């Protein structure tokens, strides 16, 4: 088969520029050449490193979080589900740390053949699905780390006369960004320089999870690089990553990871809007650092360092990377969708210091 760049150019030459989202769907998901079909992108030899690959503590604490939800669950036995499990590291660590999860059926949603093989070696009991829709409609205990940001995103830019959508067209011997004609979008008239990113795929998954949890119970934990209203970036967030560095998103489709930053307030609103009875579910968002600290990662790190003194330095480094404000602690956010009830562990509002003063 011809290289993906050539196929994309032929398609655009025949039918015109395509949306950024359509470009991403092919660059990441083309069955023969898509980035997430053909390789293991993780770790030092790959293009990027994720929290579960940094330390076992990450998956262990998520395992305990899920086990707490299982203990509170009423009704039919839930199914344990992970979206985009990578090498299976998070789930293997979770199952080792939280025995009660080991009795549940395990479903993995994964499109990559090489990564399915890596997952199978660590999680032989799993069954695999191409999409969330194919996972049986049972109560779910679900985790998705750095999954939503791998799904296609649409990008919009405004000038003084309205919105245009970012497109990919031909440029010289390669591809270049362009803009569609003006298009209507819901909401207020934009100001010049306004930008928006929307992922129908990511929002569809969150809406589906919210509806399943409202009907059947269970819980979902979604962790990703992203922002809230208070730290919204100044401009669009799409970027390409190759060999642990920024790359040109259009230079070599299928060869670089393409990601964007999740708008967590928007996703939380999507989850709430997806259920008919708004009080059937609770949606919480916090930072990865606050979440892990509240679940006791400091204690876990100290216990691990006592058990393996020769690794104490590496354990301290991992703790710092996962939780500090200058590393993943605030840039990564965690969203929980649960049935209505008190906030789950990791999301409990801590009293502000001034509340202590008499
Ligand atoms: N959660 C893992 C891996 C994150 S990378 C970790 O934290 O290490 C993104 C994962 O999602 C990979 O496993 C990738 O193959 C998978 N993936 C990407 N797009 C997908 C899609 N459209 N459907 C299913 N899985 C997908």
């Amino acid at each position: 088969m011809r290289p993906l760049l050539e196929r994309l150019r032929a398609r655009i030459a025949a039918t015109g520029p395509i949306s950024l989202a359509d470009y991403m769907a092919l660059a990441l998901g083309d069955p023969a050449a898509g980035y997430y079909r053909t390789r293991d992108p993780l770790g030092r030899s790959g293009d990027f490193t994720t929290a579960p690959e940094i330390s076992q503590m990450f998956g262990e604490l998520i395992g305990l979080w899920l086990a707490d939800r299982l203990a509170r669950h009423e009704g039919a036995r839930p199914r344990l589900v992970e979206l985009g499990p990578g090498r299976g590291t998070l789930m293997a660590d979770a199952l080792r740390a939280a025995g009660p999860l080991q009795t549940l059926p395990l479903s993995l949603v994964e499109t990559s053949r090489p990564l399915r093989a890596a997952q199978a070696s660590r999680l032989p009991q799993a069954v695999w699905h191409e999409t969330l829709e194919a996972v049986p409609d049972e109560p779910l205990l679900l985790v998705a780390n750095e999954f939503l940001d791998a799904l296609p995103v649409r990008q919009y830019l405004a000038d003084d006369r309205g919105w245009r959508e970012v497109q990919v067209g031909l440029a010289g011997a390669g591809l270049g960004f362009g803009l569609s004609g003006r298009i209507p979008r819901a909401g207020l008239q934009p100001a010049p320089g306004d930008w928006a990113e929307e992922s129908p795929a990511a929002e569809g998954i969150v809406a589906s999870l919210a509806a399943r949890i409202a009907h059947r119970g269970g819980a979902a934990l979604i962790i990703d690089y992203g922002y809230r209203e208070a730290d919204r970036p100044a401009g669009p967030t799409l970027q390409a990553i190759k060999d642990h560095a920024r790359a040109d998103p259009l230079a070599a489709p299928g060869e670089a990871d393409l990601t964007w930053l999740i708008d967590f307030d928007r996703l939380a609103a999507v989850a709430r809007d997806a259920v008919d009875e708004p009080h059937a579910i609770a949606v919480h968002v916090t930072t990865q650092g606050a979440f892990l600290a509240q679940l006791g990662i400091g204690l876990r790190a100290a216990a691990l360092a006592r058990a393996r003194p020769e690794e104490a330095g590496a354990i301290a480094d991992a703790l710092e990377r996962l939780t500090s404000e200058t590393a993943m602690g605030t840039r990564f956010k965690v969203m929980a969708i649960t049935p209505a009830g008190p906030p789950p562990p990791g999301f409990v509002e801590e009293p502000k210091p001034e509340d202590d003063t008499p």
Side-chain angles (χ1 to χ4, degrees), residues 36 41-42 48 50-53 82-87 90 109-112 115 119 130 144-147 150-151:
Y36 281 114
L42 294 163
F48 58 95
T50 56
E53 300 299 329
E82 184 170 359
L83 306 180
R87 292 178 176 167
L90 187 164
V109 175
E110 178 59 76
T111 46
S112 159
L115 287 178
Q119 293 153 20
E130 287 284 311
N145 185 57
E146 292 213 45
F147 171 75
L151 301 176

